[in-house]
Amino acid sequence: MNFELPKLDYANNALAPIMSEETLDLHYGKHHQTYITNLINFIKDTDMAKMSLDEIITHSSKDQSMMGIFNNASQHWNHNLFWKCMKPNGGGQIPPKLEKRIISDFGSVDQFKKDFKQAGIS
């Protein structure tokens, strides 16, 4: 299987000022690309070279000796989702069903934001 950077649905400067063009170029063009390059190198000449990304993640998650493969494959998957979750002028109101669940689980949206930031830091 051939893995490559996904085409973005927006220009590299479209997320500014939240994410600058320089930051996006670094994170997308270098950081994400490194996960792809590492993954390709890890699976080259193995049975996993014929697997889908989801299959590689599932397969490699079961074996501690494949943690390098798992990390790079799962980070490629994660970043593919990350780029799709952002859009110019994005944000806005939380969908009501999600907001209700956040409040149920965390007590408030503000508490969720605080806990989410802390989880990211730690």
Side-chain angles (χ1 to χ4, degrees), residues 1-7 27-44 53 56 68-69 71-77 79-80 83:
M1 189 142 248
N2 187 23
F3 299 107
E4 55 190 39
L5 281 173
K7 182 169 175 18
H27 198 80
Y28 170 76
K30 292 189 172 65
H31 183 74
H32 186 174
Q33 182 61 57
T34 298
Y35 288 124
I36 296 168
T37 301
N38 288 344
L39 173 60
I40 291 167
N41 289 333
F42 273 128
I43 65 171
K44 184 173 52 174
L53 187 58
I56 292 169
I69 295 169
N71 180 58
N72 285 279
S74 60
Q75 286 299 334
H76 177 36
W77 188 98
H79 281 77
N80 286 340
W83 303 124

Side-chain angles (χ1 to χ4, degrees), residues 38-99:
N38 288 344
L39 173 60
I40 291 167
N41 289 333
F42 273 128
I43 65 171
K44 184 173 52 174
D45 301 324
T46 72
D47 291 340
M48 285 186 282
K50 297 174 186 162
M51 293 180 181
S52 70
L53 187 58
D54 289 350
E55 290 170 328
I56 292 169
I57 291 168
T58 300
H59 180 75
S60 62
S61 69
K62 300 172 185 172
D63 186 337
Q64 188 67 30
S65 70
M66 292 189 214
M67 283 300 107
I69 295 169
F70 173 77
N71 180 58
N72 285 279
S74 60
Q75 286 299 334
H76 177 36
W77 188 98
N78 182 51
H79 281 77
N80 286 340
L81 175 63
F82 180 67
W83 303 124
K84 290 177 185 175
C85 289
M86 296 188 298
K87 64 181 179 178
N89 302 311
Q93 295 297 314
I94 300 172
K97 187 175 178 180
L98 177 58
E99 183 176 29

Side-chain angles (χ1 to χ4, degrees), residues 80-119:
N80 286 340
L81 175 63
F82 180 67
W83 303 124
K84 290 177 185 175
C85 289
M86 296 188 298
K87 64 181 179 178
N89 302 311
Q93 295 297 314
I94 300 172
K97 187 175 178 180
L98 177 58
E99 183 176 29
K100 184 177 179 181
R101 181 63 187 259
I102 288 171
I103 292 169
S104 171
D105 290 353
F106 294 90
S108 70
V109 172
D110 287 338
Q111 187 61 47
F112 166 75
K113 289 177 182 180
K114 181 180 175 187
D115 291 354
F116 186 82
K117 287 176 187 175
Q118 185 57 45

